[in-house]
Amino acid sequence: MGVVSDVGCDVATFWANLLAGKSGIGPITRFDATDCRCRVAGEVRDLNIGDYLDVKEARRLDLFCHFAVAAGDQAVKQAGLLDYAGLDKTRVGVLVSSGVGGLQTVTDQAVTLAQRGFSRISPLTIPMMIPDMAPGFLSIRYGFTGPNFAVVSACATATHSIGEASWMIRRGDADVMLAGGAENCTVGLGIGAFASMKALTSCNDEPTRASRPFDKTRDGFVPAEGGGVLVLESYDHAVARGATILGELTGYGLSGDAYHITAPDPEGTGAARALTMALARAGLTPADVSYVNAHGTSTPLNDQVETKALKLALGEAAYTVPISSTKSMTGHALGAAGALESIVCLLAIRDGIVPPTINYETPDPDCDLDYVPNTARRVAVRHAVNTNLGFGGHNAALIFSRVD
């Protein structure tokens, strides 16, 4: 596993801060947000990209790719992939995606075009802006020549990436896949656009309290950035090289709402179908689920609809399973969210503890489940669910299980 986030740029720091209920959200520093409705974000502050890339390489990549490279390096090193003499790099692929790609590059080069003309546009603009440069660069970096591309499904991007990567292994296209997501949406164009559609919080005076999933006073999500990468591997290949197995991806489900370009289906049926499909593929019942890391964006619509979806998919078990939204601390990293939250699920399985939903103070009658309010909780986690929903009606669910 590898992590770059506003609460930590390595797995250990990320996990310790989440369990402590520490928020990574603060005032926006990347640009002058004085006139913006939302002036807070979850910015990555502690990443030293010089630990991963030389100056020339770093300049040729958008910031979202910096996050992908750092998280990917951490994951590859933890997995010990490059230490395995028998590694067949033609059987190792990369599916690390981004919801919006190089938005900072697009913004910068649009300004260059407007102010200085066509001749001054950087020849690196296209490779810096396209979302699939994250897997492209990672494959070049390590010489991995297996399946290599990116998917885009808004806030479900990383979740779909991990799920689809697992199917590549199951159907024999690869033995190992790097999978996850990376995002840098905390630029003026991105935040301004989300703010104009009133999707973002306006709680600017108390940044650490701005993200309030499932709380009655929630008023929009907090934009964030970062990256998360997992090394997925077939069981036989992992055992053959003596890998440390962190968990098993047992279930993957996906669906579409066919309802609205930004709003979720108000009945939650699409999201429920994705989770029901994941349970069926894992051979589990709702009662088997030990923990749910919810999409939990802190928007009025999402949290209400997701609560309905969990009730539809889990039935009575929805009322007893611990559910938390780590976006209460990290904010919403869009195309990276599903990777960061999948890592949370694996760490919860490993350590037998689930992180809280902080800032949960005023119960909402429409959100009446156990959201692990404000304090981490000891739970023997055997099967953990991660759900993510995206604009366009994209729904995805993953189930991670303990391997004894």
Side-chain angles (χ1 to χ4, degrees), residues 101-375:
L103 197 56
Q104 185 66 65
T105 296
V106 172
T107 301
D108 292 345
Q109 295 306 309
V111 170
T112 296
L113 172 61
Q115 295 181 350
R116 304 173 68 187
F118 289 102
S119 65
R120 302 313 296 256
I121 296 173
S122 169
L124 293 171
T125 299
I126 298 301
M128 288 178 70
M129 66 179 270
I130 53 178
D132 63 341
M133 191 49 60
F137 187 85
L138 285 168
S139 71
I140 294 167
R141 185 174 181 82
Y142 302 116
F144 296 159
T145 58
N148 180 275
F149 64 102
V151 302
V152 176
S153 54
C155 305
T157 291
T159 316
H160 280 127
S161 296
I162 294 167
E164 293 302 316
S166 75
W167 277 111
M168 291 177 196
I169 295 172
R170 291 178 189 276
R171 70 181 180 232
D173 296 343
D175 297 320
V176 182
M177 292 290 298
L178 306 191
E183 201 78 274
N184 170 36
C185 64
T186 56
V187 301
L189 179 60
I191 292 181
F194 277 119
S196 73
M197 60 189 296
K198 296 182 171 58
L200 303 185
T201 183
S202 59
C203 183
N204 298 305
D205 295 334
E206 298 180 279
T208 60
R209 297 185 66 248
S211 185
R212 305 187 297 279
F214 305 107
D215 187 274
K216 188 175 183 179
T217 65
R218 65 191 184 275
D219 72 336
F221 77 83
V222 175
E225 60 190 18
V229 174
L230 296 172
V231 173
L232 303 183
E233 189 167 3
S234 74
Y235 180 78
D236 289 345
H237 192 273
V239 170
R241 69 179 187 87
T244 299
I245 297 174
L246 304 173
E248 180 182 3
L249 202 170
T250 50
Y252 169 44
L254 62 169
S255 70
D257 282 348
Y259 175 74
H260 190 270
I261 58 172
T262 57
D265 176 352
E267 299 306 314
T269 54
R273 285 200 315 277
L275 178 48
T276 299
M277 183 188 296
L279 287 167
R281 284 178 169 160
L284 300 174
T285 68
D288 294 321
V289 176
S290 315
Y291 168 61
V292 176
N293 188 289
H295 190 50
T297 60
S298 189
T299 62
L301 277 179
N302 174 89
D303 297 1
Q304 180 188 29
V305 167
E306 191 171 10
T307 297
K308 286 184 179 181
L310 290 171
K311 291 176 182 177
L312 285 173
L314 300 180
E316 289 301 312
Y319 292 92
T320 56
V321 65
I323 302 161
S324 66
S325 172
T326 41
K327 289 185 180 74
S328 61
M329 296 169 276
T330 65
H332 189 357
L334 304 185
L340 296 172
E341 291 153 15
S342 292
I343 289 169
V344 168
C345 288
L346 287 162
L347 293 167
I349 290 170
R350 184 192 71 181
D351 293 348
I353 188 169
V354 300
T357 303
I358 69 167
N359 301 322
Y360 185 85
E361 298 166 355
T362 308
D364 182 347
D366 292 327
C367 300
D368 57 351
L369 302 178
D370 177 6
Y371 305 112
V372 192
N374 302 310
T375 305

Side-chain angles (χ1 to χ4, degrees), residues 6-36:
D6 54 352
V7 295
C9 291
D10 59 79
V11 171
T13 305
F14 170 75
W15 187 228
N17 284 332
L18 290 182
L19 294 182
K22 182 177 178 180
S23 173
I25 296 164
I28 291 171
T29 64
R30 293 271 169 79
F31 62 93
D32 183 359
T34 301
D35 297 329
C36 189

